[in-house]
Amino acid sequence: AALTRMNADDELHAAGVKTIIVVEGKRELTTQMAYYCRGRMKDIADVKAMFAAAGLWALTDKEATTPSTWTLKSRHLDGKAVDLAPSNDGKTVWWGAPEAVWQRMGAIGKTFGLVWGGDWQQKDLPHFEEAPDAT
C-alpha cells in the first residue's frame, strides 16, 4: 500500500520521480554477510570473493571498502524490510534524487506504520521495515 501511494504521489512526480523501484526485499544470510563485510575486511579481494560467493555483482574497490550495513540481524532476513528508491526514467535507481524526494518517501511510508531508515542516526534512506511490534 505504501509503494502504491508513493507511485501515485503528486509531490514525488513534480520532483521528477517517474516511479518508485523495489531495490531489495527479503535477503539470504549469505547476501547479508557479504554486505556486512564491506568496509570491515582488510583484504578487498576477500570482500569481492564474499560477493561472488553470494551471487552478487562484481564490486569496485571503492564499494568493497564502503560499509553498506551495520548489522548481521537485518529485518530483510525475515522478510520484514524492503529497500525502495526513486527512478526518474522508470528503469534505473535515481540515487542522486534530492533530499526532499527521500523525505517525502519516508513520510509516506511512516503513514502506513513503517519504520524509515532515513530517521536513523546512520541513515539508510531506501530502507523501510515493519515496526518491531507489528504482527
Side-chain angles (χ1 to χ4, degrees), residues 25-59:
K26 187 173 182 179
R27 267 183 211 151
E28 296 298 322
L29 181 58
T30 54
T31 298
Q32 188 67 29
M33 291 172 66
Y35 289 173
Y36 190 79
C37 289
R38 288 178 60 179
R40 290 185 173 82
M41 294 180 88
K42 291 181 182 180
D43 189 336
I44 291 173
D46 288 340
V47 178
K48 291 180 177 185
M50 289 288 291
F51 263 65
L56 300 171
W57 69 94
L59 290 175

PDB file of all heavy atoms in Angstrom, residues 25-59:
ATOM      1  N   GLY A  25      14.127  -6.852  -1.214  1.00  0.00           N
ATOM      2  CA  GLY A  25      13.202  -7.254  -0.154  1.00  0.00           C
ATOM      3  C   GLY A  25      13.891  -8.246   0.761  1.00  0.00           C
ATOM      4  O   GLY A  25      14.917  -7.944   1.365  1.00  0.00           O
ATOM      5  N   LYS A  26      13.355  -9.466   0.786  1.00  0.00           N
ATOM      6  CA  LYS A  26      13.943 -10.490   1.640  1.00  0.00           C
ATOM      7  C   LYS A  26      15.326 -10.874   1.126  1.00  0.00           C
ATOM      8  O   LYS A  26      15.534 -11.032  -0.066  1.00  0.00           O
ATOM      9  CB  LYS A  26      13.042 -11.725   1.676  1.00  0.00           C
ATOM     10  CG  LYS A  26      13.513 -12.749   2.675  1.00  0.00           C
ATOM     11  CD  LYS A  26      12.534 -13.885   2.839  1.00  0.00           C
ATOM     12  CE  LYS A  26      13.072 -14.847   3.891  1.00  0.00           C
ATOM     13  NZ  LYS A  26      12.175 -15.953   4.118  1.00  0.00           N
ATOM     14  N   ARG A  27      16.256 -11.016   2.061  1.00  0.00           N
ATOM     15  CA  ARG A  27      17.642 -11.354   1.750  1.00  0.00           C
ATOM     16  C   ARG A  27      18.021 -12.701   2.317  1.00  0.00           C
ATOM     17  O   ARG A  27      17.601 -13.065   3.410  1.00  0.00           O
ATOM     18  CB  ARG A  27      18.574 -10.352   2.451  1.00  0.00           C
ATOM     19  CG  ARG A  27      18.975  -9.210   1.694  1.00  0.00           C
ATOM     20  CD  ARG A  27      19.952  -8.349   2.502  1.00  0.00           C
ATOM     21  NE  ARG A  27      19.721  -6.987   2.080  1.00  0.00           N
ATOM     22  CZ  ARG A  27      19.901  -5.923   2.821  1.00  0.00           C
ATOM     23  NH1 ARG A  27      20.349  -6.044   4.057  1.00  0.00           N
ATOM     24  NH2 ARG A  27      19.646  -4.744   2.338  1.00  0.00           N
ATOM     25  N   GLU A  28      18.910 -13.365   1.603  1.00  0.00           N
ATOM     26  CA  GLU A  28      19.535 -14.576   2.132  1.00  0.00           C
ATOM     27  C   GLU A  28      20.643 -14.155   3.106  1.00  0.00           C
ATOM     28  O   GLU A  28      21.218 -13.073   2.981  1.00  0.00           O
ATOM     29  CB  GLU A  28      20.141 -15.404   0.997  1.00  0.00           C
ATOM     30  CG  GLU A  28      19.114 -15.936   0.015  1.00  0.00           C
ATOM     31  CD  GLU A  28      18.124 -16.885   0.668  1.00  0.00           C
ATOM     32  OE1 GLU A  28      18.527 -17.683   1.539  1.00  0.00           O
ATOM     33  OE2 GLU A  28      16.935 -16.827   0.301  1.00  0.00           O
ATOM     34  N   LEU A  29      20.963 -15.018   4.051  1.00  0.00           N
ATOM     35  CA  LEU A  29      22.018 -14.734   5.022  1.00  0.00           C
ATOM     36  C   LEU A  29      23.361 -14.505   4.328  1.00  0.00           C
ATOM     37  O   LEU A  29      24.129 -13.627   4.730  1.00  0.00           O
ATOM     38  CB  LEU A  29      22.131 -15.863   6.052  1.00  0.00           C
ATOM     39  CG  LEU A  29      23.193 -15.670   7.133  1.00  0.00           C
ATOM     40  CD1 LEU A  29      22.963 -14.382   7.927  1.00  0.00           C
ATOM     41  CD2 LEU A  29      23.214 -16.874   8.068  1.00  0.00           C
ATOM     42  N   THR A  30      23.638 -15.252   3.264  1.00  0.00           N
ATOM     43  CA  THR A  30      24.912 -15.074   2.551  1.00  0.00           C
ATOM     44  C   THR A  30      25.025 -13.663   1.977  1.00  0.00           C
ATOM     45  O   THR A  30      26.107 -13.075   1.977  1.00  0.00           O
ATOM     46  CB  THR A  30      25.073 -16.108   1.425  1.00  0.00           C
ATOM     47  OG1 THR A  30      23.927 -16.059   0.570  1.00  0.00           O
ATOM     48  CG2 THR A  30      25.263 -17.500   1.975  1.00  0.00           C
ATOM     49  N   THR A  31      23.913 -13.117   1.508  1.00  0.00           N
ATOM     50  CA  THR A  31      23.916 -11.743   0.990  1.00  0.00           C
ATOM     51  C   THR A  31      24.167 -10.761   2.120  1.00  0.00           C
ATOM     52  O   THR A  31      24.987  -9.842   1.984  1.00  0.00           O
ATOM     53  CB  THR A  31      22.571 -11.436   0.290  1.00  0.00           C
ATOM     54  OG1 THR A  31      22.426 -12.315  -0.817  1.00  0.00           O
ATOM     55  CG2 THR A  31      22.500  -9.998  -0.168  1.00  0.00           C
ATOM     56  N   GLN A  32      23.486 -10.946   3.253  1.00  0.00           N
ATOM     57  CA  GLN A  32      23.682 -10.044   4.388  1.00  0.00           C
ATOM     58  C   GLN A  32      25.128 -10.090   4.866  1.00  0.00           C
ATOM     59  O   GLN A  32      25.726  -9.060   5.169  1.00  0.00           O
ATOM     60  CB  GLN A  32      22.729 -10.408   5.535  1.00  0.00           C
ATOM     61  CG  GLN A  32      22.739  -9.416   6.677  1.00  0.00           C
ATOM     62  CD  GLN A  32      22.171  -8.062   6.298  1.00  0.00           C
ATOM     63  OE1 GLN A  32      21.319  -7.967   5.417  1.00  0.00           O
ATOM     64  NE2 GLN A  32      22.608  -7.018   6.963  1.00  0.00           N
ATOM     65  N   MET A  33      25.697 -11.279   4.906  1.00  0.00           N
ATOM     66  CA  MET A  33      27.092 -11.409   5.344  1.00  0.00           C
ATOM     67  C   MET A  33      28.038 -10.709   4.365  1.00  0.00           C
ATOM     68  O   MET A  33      28.991 -10.045   4.785  1.00  0.00           O
ATOM     69  CB  MET A  33      27.450 -12.889   5.501  1.00  0.00           C
ATOM     70  CG  MET A  33      26.728 -13.538   6.665  1.00  0.00           C
ATOM     71  SD  MET A  33      26.937 -15.323   6.744  1.00  0.00           S
ATOM     72  CE  MET A  33      28.673 -15.442   7.096  1.00  0.00           C
ATOM     73  N   ALA A  34      27.762 -10.844   3.074  1.00  0.00           N
ATOM     74  CA  ALA A  34      28.599 -10.163   2.077  1.00  0.00           C
ATOM     75  C   ALA A  34      28.503  -8.648   2.255  1.00  0.00           C
ATOM     76  O   ALA A  34      29.520  -7.951   2.239  1.00  0.00           O
ATOM     77  CB  ALA A  34      28.183 -10.575   0.674  1.00  0.00           C
ATOM     78  N   TYR A  35      27.286  -8.136   2.440  1.00  0.00           N
ATOM     79  CA  TYR A  35      27.120  -6.690   2.657  1.00  0.00           C
ATOM     80  C   TYR A  35      27.880  -6.253   3.913  1.00  0.00           C
ATOM     81  O   TYR A  35      28.521  -5.207   3.931  1.00  0.00           O
ATOM     82  CB  TYR A  35      25.648  -6.334   2.835  1.00  0.00           C
ATOM     83  CG  TYR A  35      24.791  -6.423   1.598  1.00  0.00           C
ATOM     84  CD1 TYR A  35      23.416  -6.268   1.700  1.00  0.00           C
ATOM     85  CD2 TYR A  35      25.307  -6.653   0.326  1.00  0.00           C
ATOM     86  CE1 TYR A  35      22.594  -6.341   0.592  1.00  0.00           C
ATOM     87  CE2 TYR A  35      24.492  -6.730  -0.787  1.00  0.00           C
ATOM     88  CZ  TYR A  35      23.137  -6.566  -0.647  1.00  0.00           C
ATOM     89  OH  TYR A  35      22.323  -6.636  -1.738  1.00  0.00           O
ATOM     90  N   TYR A  36      27.789  -7.054   4.966  1.00  0.00           N
ATOM     91  CA  TYR A  36      28.430  -6.713   6.236  1.00  0.00           C
ATOM     92  C   TYR A  36      29.951  -6.660   6.115  1.00  0.00           C
ATOM     93  O   TYR A  36      30.612  -5.899   6.820  1.00  0.00           O
ATOM     94  CB  TYR A  36      28.009  -7.722   7.310  1.00  0.00           C
ATOM     95  CG  TYR A  36      28.419  -7.344   8.697  1.00  0.00           C
ATOM     96  CD1 TYR A  36      27.699  -6.402   9.418  1.00  0.00           C
ATOM     97  CD2 TYR A  36      29.530  -7.931   9.304  1.00  0.00           C
ATOM     98  CE1 TYR A  36      28.072  -6.051  10.707  1.00  0.00           C
ATOM     99  CE2 TYR A  36      29.911  -7.590  10.591  1.00  0.00           C
ATOM    100  CZ  TYR A  36      29.177  -6.642  11.282  1.00  0.00           C
ATOM    101  OH  TYR A  36      29.558  -6.292  12.556  1.00  0.00           O
ATOM    102  N   CYS A  37      30.522  -7.446   5.229  1.00  0.00           N
ATOM    103  CA  CYS A  37      31.979  -7.474   5.040  1.00  0.00           C
ATOM    104  C   CYS A  37      32.533  -6.173   4.457  1.00  0.00           C
ATOM    105  O   CYS A  37      33.698  -5.845   4.678  1.00  0.00           O
ATOM    106  CB  CYS A  37      32.366  -8.615   4.102  1.00  0.00           C
ATOM    107  SG  CYS A  37      32.179 -10.225   4.851  1.00  0.00           S
ATOM    108  N   ARG A  38      31.682  -5.466   3.703  1.00  0.00           N
ATOM    109  CA  ARG A  38      32.148  -4.235   3.057  1.00  0.00           C
ATOM    110  C   ARG A  38      32.663  -3.249   4.111  1.00  0.00           C
ATOM    111  O   ARG A  38      31.979  -2.927   5.074  1.00  0.00           O
ATOM    112  CB  ARG A  38      31.019  -3.573   2.275  1.00  0.00           C
ATOM    113  CG  ARG A  38      30.663  -4.317   1.025  1.00  0.00           C
ATOM    114  CD  ARG A  38      29.523  -3.700   0.290  1.00  0.00           C
ATOM    115  NE  ARG A  38      29.808  -2.325  -0.109  1.00  0.00           N
ATOM    116  CZ  ARG A  38      28.954  -1.573  -0.791  1.00  0.00           C
ATOM    117  NH1 ARG A  38      27.777  -2.047  -1.139  1.00  0.00           N
ATOM    118  NH2 ARG A  38      29.273  -0.344  -1.101  1.00  0.00           N
ATOM    119  N   GLY A  39      33.883  -2.797   3.908  1.00  0.00           N
ATOM    120  CA  GLY A  39      34.472  -1.823   4.818  1.00  0.00           C
ATOM    121  C   GLY A  39      34.997  -2.417   6.111  1.00  0.00           C
ATOM    122  O   GLY A  39      35.535  -1.700   6.941  1.00  0.00           O
ATOM    123  N   ARG A  40      34.847  -3.721   6.301  1.00  0.00           N
ATOM    124  CA  ARG A  40      35.302  -4.360   7.532  1.00  0.00           C
ATOM    125  C   ARG A  40      36.479  -5.299   7.311  1.00  0.00           C
ATOM    126  O   ARG A  40      37.345  -5.399   8.154  1.00  0.00           O
ATOM    127  CB  ARG A  40      34.147  -5.112   8.175  1.00  0.00           C
ATOM    128  CG  ARG A  40      33.100  -4.190   8.751  1.00  0.00           C
ATOM    129  CD  ARG A  40      32.023  -4.972   9.484  1.00  0.00           C
ATOM    130  NE  ARG A  40      31.120  -4.064  10.165  1.00  0.00           N
ATOM    131  CZ  ARG A  40      30.115  -3.440   9.584  1.00  0.00           C
ATOM    132  NH1 ARG A  40      29.857  -3.625   8.309  1.00  0.00           N
ATOM    133  NH2 ARG A  40      29.350  -2.626  10.273  1.00  0.00           N
ATOM    134  N   MET A  41      36.472  -6.024   6.206  1.00  0.00           N
ATOM    135  CA  MET A  41      37.567  -6.956   5.932  1.00  0.00           C
ATOM    136  C   MET A  41      38.763  -6.179   5.382  1.00  0.00           C
ATOM    137  O   MET A  41      38.598  -5.246   4.601  1.00  0.00           O
ATOM    138  CB  MET A  41      37.128  -8.030   4.937  1.00  0.00           C
ATOM    139  CG  MET A  41      36.051  -8.945   5.485  1.00  0.00           C
ATOM    140  SD  MET A  41      35.537 -10.198   4.298  1.00  0.00           S
ATOM    141  CE  MET A  41      36.731 -11.472   4.668  1.00  0.00           C
ATOM    142  N   LYS A  42      39.952  -6.549   5.801  1.00  0.00           N
ATOM    143  CA  LYS A  42      41.165  -5.832   5.387  1.00  0.00           C
ATOM    144  C   LYS A  42      41.504  -6.051   3.923  1.00  0.00           C
ATOM    145  O   LYS A  42      41.954  -5.134   3.246  1.00  0.00           O
ATOM    146  CB  LYS A  42      42.346  -6.242   6.260  1.00  0.00           C
ATOM    147  CG  LYS A  42      42.221  -5.761   7.685  1.00  0.00           C
ATOM    148  CD  LYS A  42      43.419  -6.180   8.502  1.00  0.00           C
ATOM    149  CE  LYS A  42      43.239  -5.733   9.944  1.00  0.00           C
ATOM    150  NZ  LYS A  42      44.364  -6.101  10.772  1.00  0.00           N
ATOM    151  N   ASP A  43      41.290  -7.245   3.428  1.00  0.00           N
ATOM    152  CA  ASP A  43      41.677  -7.575   2.058  1.00  0.00           C
ATOM    153  C   ASP A  43      40.467  -7.395   1.131  1.00  0.00           C
ATOM    154  O   ASP A  43      39.473  -8.119   1.239  1.00  0.00           O
ATOM    155  CB  ASP A  43      42.184  -9.012   1.993  1.00  0.00           C
ATOM    156  CG  ASP A  43      42.810  -9.364   0.665  1.00  0.00           C
ATOM    157  OD1 ASP A  43      42.495  -8.716  -0.357  1.00  0.00           O
ATOM    158  OD2 ASP A  43      43.617 -10.315   0.644  1.00  0.00           O
ATOM    159  N   ILE A  44      40.564  -6.426   0.218  1.00  0.00           N
ATOM    160  CA  ILE A  44      39.475  -6.140  -0.719  1.00  0.00           C
ATOM    161  C   ILE A  44      39.114  -7.382  -1.523  1.00  0.00           C
ATOM    162  O   ILE A  44      37.944  -7.624  -1.825  1.00  0.00           O
ATOM    163  CB  ILE A  44      39.870  -4.971  -1.648  1.00  0.00           C
ATOM    164  CG1 ILE A  44      39.920  -3.676  -0.843  1.00  0.00           C
ATOM    165  CG2 ILE A  44      38.912  -4.839  -2.815  1.00  0.00           C
ATOM    166  CD1 ILE A  44      40.451  -2.484  -1.620  1.00  0.00           C
ATOM    167  N   ALA A  45      40.120  -8.196  -1.858  1.00  0.00           N
ATOM    168  CA  ALA A  45      39.857  -9.423  -2.616  1.00  0.00           C
ATOM    169  C   ALA A  45      38.924 -10.357  -1.848  1.00  0.00           C
ATOM    170  O   ALA A  45      38.101 -11.046  -2.455  1.00  0.00           O
ATOM    171  CB  ALA A  45      41.167 -10.129  -2.962  1.00  0.00           C
ATOM    172  N   ASP A  46      39.032 -10.373  -0.521  1.00  0.00           N
ATOM    173  CA  ASP A  46      38.156 -11.223   0.285  1.00  0.00           C
ATOM    174  C   ASP A  46      36.706 -10.718   0.227  1.00  0.00           C
ATOM    175  O   ASP A  46      35.766 -11.511   0.162  1.00  0.00           O
ATOM    176  CB  ASP A  46      38.627 -11.268   1.736  1.00  0.00           C
ATOM    177  CG  ASP A  46      39.905 -12.069   1.918  1.00  0.00           C
ATOM    178  OD1 ASP A  46      40.231 -12.892   1.024  1.00  0.00           O
ATOM    179  OD2 ASP A  46      40.580 -11.868   2.939  1.00  0.00           O
ATOM    180  N   VAL A  47      36.542  -9.412   0.271  1.00  0.00           N
ATOM    181  CA  VAL A  47      35.193  -8.834   0.173  1.00  0.00           C
ATOM    182  C   VAL A  47      34.589  -9.190  -1.180  1.00  0.00           C
ATOM    183  O   VAL A  47      33.439  -9.629  -1.270  1.00  0.00           O
ATOM    184  CB  VAL A  47      35.224  -7.303   0.368  1.00  0.00           C
ATOM    185  CG1 VAL A  47      33.824  -6.713   0.214  1.00  0.00           C
ATOM    186  CG2 VAL A  47      35.816  -6.937   1.722  1.00  0.00           C
ATOM    187  N   LYS A  48      35.386  -9.026  -2.222  1.00  0.00           N
ATOM    188  CA  LYS A  48      34.900  -9.356  -3.568  1.00  0.00           C
ATOM    189  C   LYS A  48      34.561 -10.845  -3.675  1.00  0.00           C
ATOM    190  O   LYS A  48      33.579 -11.218  -4.326  1.00  0.00           O
ATOM    191  CB  LYS A  48      35.930  -8.939  -4.609  1.00  0.00           C
ATOM    192  CG  LYS A  48      36.049  -7.419  -4.727  1.00  0.00           C
ATOM    193  CD  LYS A  48      37.074  -7.024  -5.773  1.00  0.00           C
ATOM    194  CE  LYS A  48      37.130  -5.514  -5.922  1.00  0.00           C
ATOM    195  NZ  LYS A  48      38.021  -5.094  -7.005  1.00  0.00           N
ATOM    196  N   ALA A  49      35.324 -11.681  -3.024  1.00  0.00           N
ATOM    197  CA  ALA A  49      35.049 -13.117  -3.029  1.00  0.00           C
ATOM    198  C   ALA A  49      33.744 -13.422  -2.293  1.00  0.00           C
ATOM    199  O   ALA A  49      32.978 -14.301  -2.716  1.00  0.00           O
ATOM    200  CB  ALA A  49      36.211 -13.886  -2.401  1.00  0.00           C
ATOM    201  N   MET A  50      33.483 -12.727  -1.213  1.00  0.00           N
ATOM    202  CA  MET A  50      32.219 -12.903  -0.485  1.00  0.00           C
ATOM    203  C   MET A  50      31.037 -12.542  -1.380  1.00  0.00           C
ATOM    204  O   MET A  50      30.024 -13.229  -1.398  1.00  0.00           O
ATOM    205  CB  MET A  50      32.198 -12.043   0.790  1.00  0.00           C
ATOM    206  CG  MET A  50      33.119 -12.534   1.889  1.00  0.00           C
ATOM    207  SD  MET A  50      32.544 -14.033   2.700  1.00  0.00           S
ATOM    208  CE  MET A  50      31.125 -13.439   3.578  1.00  0.00           C
ATOM    209  N   PHE A  51      31.165 -11.441  -2.114  1.00  0.00           N
ATOM    210  CA  PHE A  51      30.097 -11.028  -3.025  1.00  0.00           C
ATOM    211  C   PHE A  51      29.884 -12.071  -4.116  1.00  0.00           C
ATOM    212  O   PHE A  51      28.746 -12.416  -4.443  1.00  0.00           O
ATOM    213  CB  PHE A  51      30.399  -9.653  -3.625  1.00  0.00           C
ATOM    214  CG  PHE A  51      29.715  -8.530  -2.896  1.00  0.00           C
ATOM    215  CD1 PHE A  51      30.041  -8.242  -1.588  1.00  0.00           C
ATOM    216  CD2 PHE A  51      28.732  -7.780  -3.510  1.00  0.00           C
ATOM    217  CE1 PHE A  51      29.407  -7.227  -0.900  1.00  0.00           C
ATOM    218  CE2 PHE A  51      28.082  -6.761  -2.836  1.00  0.00           C
ATOM    219  CZ  PHE A  51      28.415  -6.479  -1.526  1.00  0.00           C
ATOM    220  N   ALA A  52      30.970 -12.566  -4.665  1.00  0.00           N
ATOM    221  CA  ALA A  52      30.873 -13.586  -5.714  1.00  0.00           C
ATOM    222  C   ALA A  52      30.218 -14.853  -5.161  1.00  0.00           C
ATOM    223  O   ALA A  52      29.345 -15.444  -5.809  1.00  0.00           O
ATOM    224  CB  ALA A  52      32.251 -13.889  -6.286  1.00  0.00           C
ATOM    225  N   ALA A  53      30.603 -15.264  -3.965  1.00  0.00           N
ATOM    226  CA  ALA A  53      30.046 -16.472  -3.360  1.00  0.00           C
ATOM    227  C   ALA A  53      28.545 -16.335  -3.096  1.00  0.00           C
ATOM    228  O   ALA A  53      27.808 -17.316  -3.153  1.00  0.00           O
ATOM    229  CB  ALA A  53      30.787 -16.801  -2.067  1.00  0.00           C
ATOM    230  N   ALA A  54      28.107 -15.100  -2.828  1.00  0.00           N
ATOM    231  CA  ALA A  54      26.686 -14.849  -2.577  1.00  0.00           C
ATOM    232  C   ALA A  54      25.907 -14.636  -3.876  1.00  0.00           C
ATOM    233  O   ALA A  54      24.692 -14.420  -3.843  1.00  0.00           O
ATOM    234  CB  ALA A  54      26.529 -13.637  -1.657  1.00  0.00           C
ATOM    235  N   GLY A  55      26.608 -14.664  -5.009  1.00  0.00           N
ATOM    236  CA  GLY A  55      25.945 -14.475  -6.293  1.00  0.00           C
ATOM    237  C   GLY A  55      25.595 -13.027  -6.581  1.00  0.00           C
ATOM    238  O   GLY A  55      24.678 -12.742  -7.347  1.00  0.00           O
ATOM    239  N   LEU A  56      26.355 -12.113  -5.980  1.00  0.00           N
ATOM    240  CA  LEU A  56      26.106 -10.675  -6.148  1.00  0.00           C
ATOM    241  C   LEU A  56      26.997 -10.096  -7.242  1.00  0.00           C
ATOM    242  O   LEU A  56      27.843 -10.785  -7.796  1.00  0.00           O
ATOM    243  CB  LEU A  56      26.329  -9.955  -4.812  1.00  0.00           C
ATOM    244  CG  LEU A  56      25.414 -10.439  -3.674  1.00  0.00           C
ATOM    245  CD1 LEU A  56      25.858  -9.846  -2.348  1.00  0.00           C
ATOM    246  CD2 LEU A  56      23.964 -10.090  -3.972  1.00  0.00           C
ATOM    247  N   TRP A  57      26.827  -8.818  -7.509  1.00  0.00           N
ATOM    248  CA  TRP A  57      27.577  -8.128  -8.556  1.00  0.00           C
ATOM    249  C   TRP A  57      29.051  -7.992  -8.203  1.00  0.00           C
ATOM    250  O   TRP A  57      29.439  -8.106  -7.046  1.00  0.00           O
ATOM    251  CB  TRP A  57      26.970  -6.753  -8.828  1.00  0.00           C
ATOM    252  CG  TRP A  57      27.152  -5.763  -7.715  1.00  0.00           C
ATOM    253  CD1 TRP A  57      28.159  -4.834  -7.593  1.00  0.00           C
ATOM    254  CD2 TRP A  57      26.342  -5.574  -6.550  1.00  0.00           C
ATOM    255  NE1 TRP A  57      28.024  -4.098  -6.435  1.00  0.00           N
ATOM    256  CE2 TRP A  57      26.907  -4.531  -5.774  1.00  0.00           C
ATOM    257  CE3 TRP A  57      25.184  -6.187  -6.081  1.00  0.00           C
ATOM    258  CZ2 TRP A  57      26.355  -4.090  -4.576  1.00  0.00           C
ATOM    259  CZ3 TRP A  57      24.643  -5.746  -4.883  1.00  0.00           C
ATOM    260  CH2 TRP A  57      25.233  -4.721  -4.153  1.00  0.00           C
ATOM    261  N   ALA A  58      29.865  -7.720  -9.225  1.00  0.00           N
ATOM    262  CA  ALA A  58      31.303  -7.502  -9.026  1.00  0.00           C
ATOM    263  C   ALA A  58      31.500  -6.098  -8.464  1.00  0.00           C
ATOM    264  O   ALA A  58      31.129  -5.109  -9.093  1.00  0.00           O
ATOM    265  CB  ALA A  58      32.048  -7.656 -10.345  1.00  0.00           C
ATOM    266  N   LEU A  59      32.062  -6.021  -7.289  1.00  0.00           N
ATOM    267  CA  LEU A  59      32.286  -4.745  -6.613  1.00  0.00           C
ATOM    268  C   LEU A  59      33.477  -3.996  -7.191  1.00  0.00           C
ATOM    269  O   LEU A  59      34.462  -4.607  -7.599  1.00  0.00           O
ATOM    270  CB  LEU A  59      32.601  -4.978  -5.137  1.00  0.00           C
ATOM    271  CG  LEU A  59      31.513  -5.455  -4.205  1.00  0.00           C
ATOM    272  CD1 LEU A  59      32.109  -5.740  -2.826  1.00  0.00           C
ATOM    273  CD2 LEU A  59      30.408  -4.447  -4.091  1.00  0.00           C
TER     274      LEU A  59
END
